[in-house]
Amino acid sequence: MAAAAAAAANGGRSRTLHRRQRAGPGPAASASHGGERGDTGSVSGVGRGTPGGGSRYGKRGIRGGFGTGGGGPGASPPGTRPRSLSAQRKDPFPGPPAPALAPEAVGAAGRSGGRPGGSVGPAAPRGAGVSPLCVPRSVPRVSPSALLCPLTPPFQRPPRFLEADPGEDTCTITQGDIAEAVDIASAAKHFDLRLEQFGPYRLDYTRNGRHLLLGGRRGHVAAMDWQTKALMCEINVMETVTDVAWLHTETLLAVAQRRWLHVYDNQGLELNCLKSFPGVLQLQFLPYHFLLATANDKGFLQYLDISVGKEVAALCTRGGRLAVMAQNPANAIIHLGHSNGTVTLWSPTVSEPLVRMLCHRGALRALAVDPTGTYMASAGLDRKLRVFDLRTYRVLQELVLPQGAGHLAFSQRGVLAAACGRVAPTQKPGGGKDNNPYRSRRQRQEWEVKALLEKIPAELITLDPTQLGCVDTASLQQKREERIQRLGFDPQAKAKFKPRRRAKGNNLLHRKRKVAHEEQRAVIRQSVEQREQEKKKKRKERRKEESSPPPKRGALDRFKK
Amino acid sequence: MRVKVLSRNPDDYLRETKLDLQRVPRNYDPALHPFEVPREYTRALNATKLERVFAKPFLSSLDGHRDGVNCMAKHPKSLSTVLSGACDGEVKIWNLTKRQCIRTIQAHEGFVRGMCARFCGTSFFTVGDDKTVKQWKMESPEYGEEEEPIHTILGKTVYTGIDHHWKEAVFATCGHQVDIWDEQRTSPMCSLTWGFDSISSVKFNPIETYLLGSCASDRNIVLYDMRKSTPLKKVILNMRTNTLCWNPMEAFVFTAANEDYNLYTFDMRYLESPVTVHMDHVSAVLDVDYSPTGKEFVSASFDKSVRIFPVDKGHSREVYHTKRMQHVITVKWTSDNKYILCGSDEMNIRLWKANASEKLGVLAPREKAAMNYNQKLKEKFQYHPQIRRIAQHRHLPKSIFCQIKEQRIMREARRRKELNRRKHSKPGSMPFVSERKKHIVAVVK
């Protein structure tokens, strides 16, 4: 059981994560950070929280095993085996032995802002027996396998978030270097999570970027405020967890477990077990509609309205196992990736996909849509990364990745991050640009009420969100036709324009001139008519002659006179 | 190595003391605020629904008359005073803020046919079935004094209506003919007549103050010019007009309340066809009064309801009814544009809000801003079917509801007949007559 002494820095608060002791004779690199900052925390998956256990529901029970004060700064000297805090309590579910960290496993993914819903790939090859906490942190983590692709129109200079000095390659920059290069406040936000025991992790941030939710495959679910490192809850749901998602605020979270979908409080209390959502593989929350979209392994896309708690739609996608899902934040359309290389776009009210795009030659591995809803990035088993324009559904860019991308995410600035290989990207988000991360509880409550009042009904989800503001010309025409039929005339028809006669000065002269030429014109008209009549007559005669066939010469004609 | 990191100083986001307001940092980037139109639509839907929730227009009933209320008059200078005349000859003066009657006068024997206040507000005139015109003081009599009219004029015939000039000391009565009186004289300055039938109401134009309009029993509306002492022109309609009212903002526009369940808004320069025909009542329209803004008017009808119409639209925007309110004889819109008073023949005067969901009283600036925003949203989305359906829904008493259905069926039947006739007759032999011109018989100058 890997339990370490709590750092005195947090004053022994009972809600902190484990903190590894920063002892003086520790690794040299870390000493420069000082005792308070640059702390790494490691979340060791202490299994607690069996459904049956009463202690699971007690707040103390969950957090009892972690950082319960105790142990001052001068605790275990390096090299000794870390002792558990409360020697009496032992973790009944220790999980598999923690593997040793391989140097290349943990990658530096650099910066990606906003809300990365990253899935952390399998952290390291499973070693044997060595506690991860003994590995010195200063091992450089080189990872060429996380790519940052800025997506901007070609004529604009892409914004550089990380500019390397000449001679330095951005691939070799480690998290530690970045932490040294930025200002103190941002460096303080850098933290490290060692999540080695409980399988590949799924992450989610709340919309204001303040709270982080982790879900490990082996059942570990943890919610924390990453800025203050305050742990909100940490439980093990004793089942395979395929995806986790925050709901509209940091008070509710949804966990897709092996059998059903569960909704938990941020204190770890189970609120709902939704048995009508079996086998969910992916979760996406549509914030403006209060809809939780779930894709399950039987090919069903289900929408749950969390404000009223009802299932809005269950669409049979007929596309097989739905393991790849993304939402378009601009129009709340769900993109599903299928194993035949197609991406289908769905709205809850339509039972057929709105659009079907053939994107890759093999199965899809990852999908992401940018926040403005103009680009979609897709990665497939054919090792290609393609960027599509969502207005024309055509390919814009294509990249070949030697190791296919397992996960894609767009930042709020239009930077695409692709997780390749076995990467555990330690995100350093800048926080959500919307929704104040410093809001108080009162502000959150008021915001929640307003947001619920403005909840957009699911029927309004369309490919073009501005369609509601356009004139419905089809209905207008139809109504107009009906009215004409009913009334018998068209009330909107304008009378033909009759130009007013302009009374000019010499009207008399004009009239006289007209009259003078009338006789001539009459004569000419007559003669022309006569000529035409003659022509007609001639034509008729000619036709008669032609039409009447020449008399046949019979055998006895020579006897006629 | 240069790294660009988003770095926030918490001091910019958190308030300094507990007594401060919370800060709300806003980022106006449209990419962060998607779904503009659906969110606005949802807000408009909510605003429309809330408007219906808060639509409680009835304020109070002024009780006290012992017979049906026949006519009302507004005090020109005081918003809280209103005068009413009943069918037993009683005239009562009410204080609207206390909702009490402050003075009662037994003015006539028989009906009080008409009353009007003088433009200065110091006195008012009443005419009754006893063929008299009486002028009274607006102030209550002192202690010990008796209720006495300042002036009484005895006439030969029954007077059915009275109206005072808006600027001069002149008033006009109608009965057999239209008489224009000077206040000091006991006989009329001039008598105007055109036709042989009795005249039911007369009204002075508030803007072009020398113009008068009158409604006669032979279905015509006659316009007079006081300076010329002759009638100007008249328009003959299909049915009799009960009363008319001039628009206080447009000098030449007046609205006539007709017996054929409609109201007609005329431009006096062009009487051949009315500007608008307002159709929504199911029984004879008895009275009409304009709002001081000149954009809307209220009409009282024999079908126990009061309707508010916009000047340019053909249908009403609001209908007020109560189980206890019987045939509404007279209606007035107060000069501050907020309230409507209606007198009915069950002896009560009712006070209503002109905007049913308006919040009365002083509004905080935030409230006002929220109300303005909601109003604008409702206007923006008013044509969407769901929102229109909610906004125009009104509860109607069963009698009116059934009458409306019946009249719609009758109108459709007539229209179908005409259509068939037109289809089966020579094209051009049956010209299309617009709805407006259908109700006019002739215009005579």
Side-chain angles (χ1 to χ4, degrees), chain A residues 160-163 165 173 182-183 288 329 332 430 432 437-438 440 443 453-455 468 486-489, chain B residues 1-8 13 22-23 25 32 34-35 39 41-43 46 384 412 415 419 432:
Chain A
R160 295 265 167 234
F161 302 109
L162 189 63
E163 291 200 12
D165 296 333
I173 294 172
V182 297
D183 59 291
Y288 291 96
Y438 293 98
S440 68
Q443 281 180 317
L453 279 174
E454 284 177 16
K455 174 188 89 161
L468 204 57
R486 194 166 57 90
L487 294 177
F489 65 98
Chain B
M1 170 178 48
R2 290 180 296 281
V3 189
K4 266 199 225 169
V5 179
L6 189 67
S7 179
R8 284 187 201 173
Y13 290 85
Q22 293 278 8
R23 288 187 216 214
L32 296 175
F35 304 108
R39 284 163 82 190
Y41 175 81
T42 311
R43 285 181 196 161
N46 289 343
H384 280 69
E412 278 301 310
R415 185 178 292 142
L419 211 66
F432 289 100

Side-chain angles (χ1 to χ4, degrees), chain B residues 200-217:
Chain B
S200 57
S201 85
V202 67
K203 283 272 162 64
F204 271 100
N205 188 326
I207 304 170
E208 304 283 345
T209 48
Y210 44 83
L211 288 173
L212 308 176
S214 74
C215 315
S217 289

Side-chain angles (χ1 to χ4, degrees), chain B residues 52-88:
Chain B
R52 293 284 91 223
V53 166
F54 292 123
K56 295 181 178 147
F58 182 68
L59 287 173
S60 79
S61 163
L62 303 174
D63 203 13
H65 273 296
R66 285 177 303 190
D67 209 340
V69 177
N70 206 15
C71 56
M72 283 204 295
K74 292 188 271 194
H75 192 296
K77 303 284 180 194
S78 158
L79 287 175
S80 57
T81 317
V82 75
L83 304 100
S84 61
C87 297
D88 60 352

Side-chain angles (χ1 to χ4, degrees), chain A residues 352-368:
Chain A
E352 294 292 318
L354 299 172
V355 176
R356 234 191 272 261
M357 297 164 62
L358 180 63
C359 294
H360 287 275
R361 276 183 174 182
L364 270 275
R365 275 196 77 197
L367 267 186

